[in-house]
Amino acid sequence: MKRLTTGAFILALSFGAWGQSPSAELEVTIDMVPPDAVADAAITPIPLPDDASDEGRANSEFGRRTAANARERGREFGEAVSKAARAARDLPVAPIPDFSIPKPPAK
């Protein structure tokens, strides 16, 4: 049954990928970097153009606020988990009962 389910899942995924047609609008640009180039030279920030729409600027600012909010919430969560772990570290540990089967007495 497990093989049948796995096979059906793989078959469904392959039909989804096969049905997609390549886009004629896809344009790929490759810039060759000389071998002696510094790695940081290939990475440059892309600033918003001066004539960017107000909606584009608002969406960009919304994205920045959302990311900052998520980062802060993640930090708060991490601090809370660390605090709980430190508090649990100081709790007494109950002894673990021995559930092993006793050996029969030797003859």
Side-chain angles (χ1 to χ4, degrees), residues 73-93:
R73 287 181 26 216
R75 182 178 298 119
E76 290 171 0
F77 175 75
E79 289 171 356
V81 169
S82 295
K83 183 178 178 181
R86 281 191 295 276
R89 178 181 59 196
D90 299 332
L91 293 177
V93 177

Side-chain angles (χ1 to χ4, degrees), residues 11-86:
L11 186 63
L13 286 178
S14 65
F15 278 127
W18 186 41
Q20 295 177 356
S21 62
S23 175
E25 299 174 12
L26 180 63
E27 184 176 315
V28 178
T29 304
I30 299 175
D31 293 329
M32 300 303 289
V33 179
D36 58 343
V38 180
D40 294 337
I43 302 171
T44 56
I46 302 173
L48 284 175
D50 293 334
D51 59 342
S53 70
D54 292 336
E55 181 182 356
R57 289 183 186 279
N59 289 340
S60 176
E61 183 58 33
F62 174 75
R64 286 190 193 124
R65 281 195 318 267
T66 302
N69 187 18
R71 187 172 35 254
E72 182 60 32
R73 287 181 26 216
R75 182 178 298 119
E76 290 171 0
F77 175 75
E79 289 171 356
V81 169
S82 295
K83 183 178 178 181
R86 281 191 295 276

